[in-house]
Amino acid sequence: MKNLTLSFLLFLCAFTLWAQPKTVVFQTDFGLKDGAVSAMKGVAMGVNPNVRLFDLTHEIPAYNIWEAAYRLEQTAPYWPKGTVFVSVVDPGVGTERKSVVLKTKSGHYFVGPDNGSFTLIAESLGIQEVHEIDEALNRRRNSQSSYTFHGRDVYAYTAARLAAGVITLAQVGKRLPNEVVKIPFQKPVLEGNTIVGNIPILDVQYGNIWTNISADLFKKLNIAAGQKVKITVWQNDKLIFNGEMPFANTFGEVPEGQPVAYLNSLMNLSFALNMGDFSSKYGVKSGPEWKVKVER
C-alpha cells in the first residue's frame, strides 16, 4: 500500500509540474515610453496569472523586421523547450499578412505576423508545424474593432492561452504548409580560399561588426591567431570597407584604436576596433543587404 501511495504521489507531482503554465517571452519595436508592453502583459496575465512573463527586448528599431528575426535566433536556443515567444515588429498590422504560431523542431513556439520575422529561427531550429491564428477563437474579447494593436489583442492573448494550456497548437487555427515568409540574405559559403557571408547585426553598444560566418567555417581558411585576414564589405553592390587586420583571441592583443578580427560570444567571426567604434568609423552597418568577404 505504501508503494502504491508513493507512486501516486510521484505521479501527481510530475503531472503538476507538467501542467504548470509555461513561459512567454516578448519582443517588440514599441520601446518602453508608453503602456503598450504593459498592456500586452496585462492581457497575458488575464488569461492565467501564473504564466511567467519575460522580455527579450523592446528596443528593436522601428519596423526593422530583419533585426527582430536575428534577435529571436540569437536568444531562443537558450530558453527551455516549450517557451512561447511573441514577436511584434509589424509594419503591416491590419493588412492581409497572416498571423501565425510556428512550432520549431526544438519545441519552441513563436507567435506573430508572418512577415519575415521568423526567417532565421525557422532555418536554424527547423519547422515542425505552422498554424494560422483563427481570430474568431483566439482574440481578446470585444477587440474586433481594433485593427492596429494585434500584439495586445491577438498575439499576447493567443500566446498566453497556449502557454497556460487553455488551447493546444491544433486549436490555434488551421494548419498551414511548413513554411514561413523569408527575407533573402547571403548565407555563409566557402568559395575557394574566400568565405562570403552576411553582417546580420552589430554589437550595438560598441560598434563591433558581427557576421554569420561560424568558427567551424572560418577554420577552413587555416588562419592562426596573429595572422592577417583581408575583409571586404559591401552594401548591395557598393564597396564600403576594404582592409586587413590580425585575427586574435582578445581585443587587447592589438593596440588601442586598431582593427581586430575575433570570434564573438556566439562563435561567429566578427571584427572591431580595440576601444573604438568600427561601425561609426567606417560606415559599416548590418542587415540582409550587407555582404562580407573574408580571405587569407
Side-chain angles (χ1 to χ4, degrees):
M1 185 66 178
K2 274 187 176 181
N3 289 338
L4 185 60
T5 302
L6 180 61
S7 296
F8 176 75
L9 289 173
L10 289 172
F11 169 79
L12 186 61
C13 289
F15 178 79
T16 300
L17 289 171
W18 174 82
Q20 284 181 345
K22 296 182 174 66
T23 298
V24 178
V25 180
F26 292 94
Q27 168 178 271
T28 73
D29 60 351
F30 298 165
L32 295 172
K33 294 187 178 83
D34 63 17
V37 172
S38 182
M40 291 173 66
K41 291 182 176 180
V43 167
M45 291 288 284
V47 171
N48 185 321
N50 295 316
V51 172
R52 297 173 296 178
L53 307 179
F54 295 90
D55 298 307
L56 194 163
T57 181
H58 298 290
E59 300 303 326
I60 299 292
Y63 319 122
N64 194 328
I65 295 169
W66 173 262
E67 186 158 326
Y70 182 84
R71 295 305 180 195
L72 289 176
E73 184 184 41
Q74 179 187 15
T75 308
Y78 298 100
W79 287 82
K81 177 181 177 180
T83 300
V84 182
F85 292 85
V86 177
S87 182
V88 191
V89 178
D90 192 14
V93 62
T95 67
E96 292 300 311
R97 91 290 174 260
K98 288 183 173 66
S99 294
V100 301
V101 176
L102 160 67
K103 182 180 181 182
T104 60
K105 292 180 180 178
S106 61
H108 298 86
Y109 297 85
F110 298 86
V111 182
D114 185 20
N115 61 3
S117 295
F118 304 139
T119 295
L120 299 175
I121 210 73
E123 186 169 298
S124 60
L125 297 184
I127 298 175
Q128 182 167 318
E129 293 184 42
V130 180
H131 289 255
E132 184 172 8
I133 298 174
D134 184 344
E135 293 185 21
L137 302 173
N138 294 297
R139 185 182 179 112
R140 186 177 65 88
R141 183 176 296 178
N142 299 325
S143 69
Q144 287 77 8
S145 296
S146 174
Y147 296 97
T148 59
F149 201 174
H150 283 183
R152 176 194 64 195
D153 299 331
V154 179
Y155 303 142
Y157 182 71
T158 301
R161 281 160 61 83
L162 193 59
V166 176
I167 58 172
T168 64
L169 181 58
Q171 291 172 315
V172 165
K174 69 178 180 181
R175 184 168 180 178
L176 301 174
N178 282 6
E179 56 190 35
V180 292
V181 172
K182 291 187 177 180
I183 301 169
F185 68 100
Q186 175 64 59
K187 297 180 181 179
V189 291
L190 179 65
E191 299 176 348
N193 293 319
T194 301
I195 297 175
V196 183
N198 168 249
I199 301 174
I201 206 74
L202 302 179
D203 185 357
V204 290
Q205 182 69 12
Y206 305 104
N208 302 339
I209 311 302
W210 285 15
T211 79
N212 64 348
I213 298 170
S214 69
D216 288 340
L217 185 58
F218 179 67
K219 285 177 183 177
K220 294 183 179 181
L221 293 182
N222 296 314
I223 296 173
Q227 291 183 321
K228 292 284 186 74
V229 292
K230 181 179 180 182
I231 305 291
T232 314
V233 177
W234 289 266
Q235 182 184 22
N236 293 318
D237 295 325
K238 182 181 178 181
L239 179 65
I240 302 297
F241 175 81
N242 184 15
E244 291 186 348
M245 62 194 72
F247 172 65
N249 293 318
T250 64
F251 303 113
E253 293 177 35
V254 301
E256 187 172 323
Q258 293 301 303
V260 60
Y262 67 101
L263 296 175
N264 67 15
S265 58
L266 300 178
M267 298 308 291
N268 287 333
L269 182 68
S270 303
F271 40 103
L273 295 180
N274 183 21
M275 299 289 287
D277 188 321
F278 196 108
S279 173
S280 294
K281 182 171 182 178
Y282 295 108
V284 176
K285 304 297 182 183
S286 63
E289 74 276 17
W290 287 84
K291 185 169 68 174
V292 58
K293 284 189 178 182
V294 182
E295 303 171 82
R296 291 194 62 170

